[in-house]
Amino acid sequence: MDKVLMIDDDLDDQYFYRSLFSEISSELDFDSITSREELSEKIFQVDSGAYKLPKLILLDLNLPRISGKEIFLELASHVNFKRIPIVALTTSSSPLDIQDCQRLGFDAYFVKPSEFKDCKKLVKTLHSYWFVLNEINNH
């Protein structure tokens, strides 16, 4: 079963996106964490073989005590995570954030939509691209 990992400190957003992904595909496992400490635990679990790597990471940029950009750098330098697509999913529409994420190597940048129908459309697009159409991610 394919997995999405969402790194976001907003529990409501985690629940909301989990619901949207589960509506679109019952063949998708959605996991979420809120902090660097939880990420460290996931990395340890992956390294020990106790946690299956996700095929897509959704990363909020605005986290307490650490930025999403710092988390990106940590993941991108880790042997098990560096090939996993990391998508910024954030409330920031700042051109500086977008440029920084592009420079760092994020695979995509999306501003969280405020309308339900737009959120659903975004999740359908993410699912279709990363889990259906993209052959690299399907092997």
Side-chain angles (χ1 to χ4, degrees), residues 10-107:
D10 188 321
L11 297 177
D12 289 335
D13 278 357
Q14 288 182 12
Y15 177 79
F16 180 65
Y17 282 93
R18 177 187 310 275
S19 298
L20 289 174
F21 272 101
S22 69
E23 272 184 42
I24 290 169
S25 174
S26 61
E27 299 295 314
L28 197 61
D29 183 22
F30 187 95
D31 196 9
S32 55
I33 57 176
T34 61
S35 67
R36 182 182 201 164
E37 294 76 25
E38 288 180 73
L39 177 61
S40 295
E41 178 61 27
K42 290 290 183 212
I43 290 172
F44 175 77
Q45 290 173 347
V46 165
D47 291 345
S48 68
Y51 182 77
K52 180 182 174 191
L53 280 169
K55 282 203 170 180
L56 177 66
I57 296 174
L58 305 175
L59 178 55
D60 187 17
L61 297 183
N62 305 309
L63 300 167
R65 299 186 310 272
I66 188 169
S67 76
K69 295 171 195 173
E70 291 172 284
I71 287 190
F72 174 86
L73 291 172
E74 186 174 334
L75 290 170
S77 68
H78 190 278
V79 66
N80 289 319
F81 284 87
K82 67 182 176 183
R83 295 188 47 100
I84 297 170
I86 301 175
V87 172
L89 182 60
T90 184
T91 56
S92 173
S93 58
S94 162
L96 288 175
D97 281 338
I98 296 167
Q99 289 169 358
D100 282 350
C101 288
Q102 184 178 26
R103 180 184 51 78
L104 290 170
F106 276 71
D107 294 284

